[in-house]
Amino acid sequence: MTKIIVPDAAHESPWPHRRTAAWALALLFFAYVLAFLDRIVLSILVRPISAELQLSDMQFALVGGVAFALFYVTMGLPIGWLADRFSRRRIVAVGVALWSLCTIASGLASDFAGLFAARLGVGIGEAALAPAAYSLIADLYPPERRGRAVALYTLGATIGSSIAYFAGGLLIEFASAHGAILGLPPWRFVFFAAGAPGILLAALMLTMREPARRQSARVAKPASFVAFLKARREVSIAYILGYSCINLPFAGFLLWGPALFDRVHGLRPAQLALPLALLFLVPTALGQWLGATVTDRMLAKGRADAAFRTAAVCAALLVPVAVAMPLLGDSAAALAALGLLLFLTCASVGHHAVVAATVAPNRLRGLYVALFFFVQNVMGQAIIAVITAGLTDHVFERPDSIGLSMAIVGGAGAAAGTLLLILGREALRRAAAEPHP
């Protein structure tokens, strides 16, 4: 029988000082920036990599999606287990160093197998970040400030994407115009430039102060992870599958977006550098802020299902945008629709970790977040990457049909996610009100 502890405010440990929390959050934010920089830079290099290594769309999907996801998801769960028990800052430091070295190794690949192996390593390293980061944030910030802290951290994904599109596009064009840099072909140099900053950040991670773990006063000892999932299966299905589905239009663009604008609109990386950098900076930041602020305010008013409410409304608006954006024939209209797609996606999913902090006890939270990213990356990085490539290569049989494939996958994902979150609202309210199992 679960033992319930009555909170004792007199013995409640204080939250970390604001400066301590801010420094830790800044380090985690920059780690997420580099994670997406190293992840997204591959999609900018579709043309030169495929040309030199002679890769088909399906092989590129395996390298850009399956290779990354394979070890990200298989290592994510054990790393989540470690994050619940050992130093989270050290786990993040090792992860940043590993994925940065493997990004550099991507620039050394001489064939499909070598590039596949390097991207496996990137997946292993990045698997260390999310479980530890979300666990740290939950112990750094009180509930009324946590939504915005989570949103600021997840903004690193969009900042990293913005930098990748801007710097990567300009670098590849500059290097192409001037030949080899440091003896490296252009696309190989870009991987070196993307991976190098992570080595310094890994060392800086060790300056972070590890916050005390704050166990909820509603439970003395958390149940096993399996027992916890059984007790919270309804809200967990809505949380994990719902947000993962909503993220599919965003994930699809990260892998195939540059190819879409290249094949359909004739825009090269240098032409896309500034537009994509701005779109991944402004609409995404506004979306993160809006989703987090609305959710925090509704939580302050006692609406325990606030996260699902915000996400479901934004995801419903996302459905027609996800279908239309890749089908538009005018490049300016497509870029405008992309801005709206990014805004709505970030408003929907940017605050998702608020749910994990509400539903899962501290000692299971890292593993719970790891399970979330396990499913999200299986769907967004592996299965959907292969389905999109399969539709393009084997159903429509035309490289310029990539937009139709993206519209099918993205629209279906956003619709399914909307439905799951609507159906899960009552389960989230119950989970917020009941003691942790």
Side-chain angles (χ1 to χ4, degrees), residues 278-323:
L278 292 175
L279 288 174
F280 272 84
L281 184 63
V282 180
T284 52
L286 292 175
Q288 297 274 17
W289 175 82
L290 176 68
T293 301
V294 170
T295 299
D296 280 353
R297 287 179 179 175
M298 284 198 291
L299 284 171
K301 294 179 180 179
R303 295 180 178 175
D305 63 347
F308 282 6
R309 281 175 178 257
T310 304
V313 171
C314 294
L317 297 173
L318 175 64
V319 175
V321 179
V323 173

Side-chain angles (χ1 to χ4, degrees), residues 279 283 314 317-318 321-322 325 334-346:
L279 288 174
C314 294
L317 297 173
L318 175 64
V321 179
M325 187 281 295
L335 287 170
L338 174 62
L340 185 56
L341 183 150
L342 295 173
F343 173 82
L344 291 171
T345 303
C346 291

Side-chain angles (χ1 to χ4, degrees), residues 49-126:
I49 292 176
S50 298
E52 182 172 333
L53 303 186
Q54 298 183 332
L55 303 182
S56 67
D57 273 3
M58 182 58 72
Q59 286 178 308
F60 194 83
L62 293 174
V63 167
V66 175
F68 175 86
L70 183 63
F71 269 66
Y72 187 105
V73 299
T74 55
M75 295 302 295
L77 292 176
I79 291 174
W81 183 88
L82 291 173
D84 288 331
R85 290 159 177 80
F86 299 101
S87 171
R88 293 162 288 185
R89 65 169 186 157
R90 291 180 182 176
I91 290 172
V92 174
V94 171
V96 173
L98 178 58
W99 89 57
S100 300
L101 290 171
C102 288
T103 298
I104 294 172
S106 300
L108 301 174
S110 59
D111 54 21
F112 168 76
L115 187 58
F116 189 91
R119 303 312 290 181
L120 284 177
V122 174
I124 296 173
E126 290 196 21

Side-chain angles (χ1 to χ4, degrees), residues 44 161-171 173 267-283 335 338 342:
I44 302 170
S161 301
S162 177
I163 294 173
Y165 287 122
F166 183 71
L170 294 183
L171 271 175
E173 291 297 320
L267 298 178
R268 301 295 296 274
Q271 295 171 292
L272 288 170
L274 183 58
L276 291 186
L278 292 175
L279 288 174
F280 272 84
L281 184 63
V282 180
L335 287 170
L338 174 62
L342 295 173

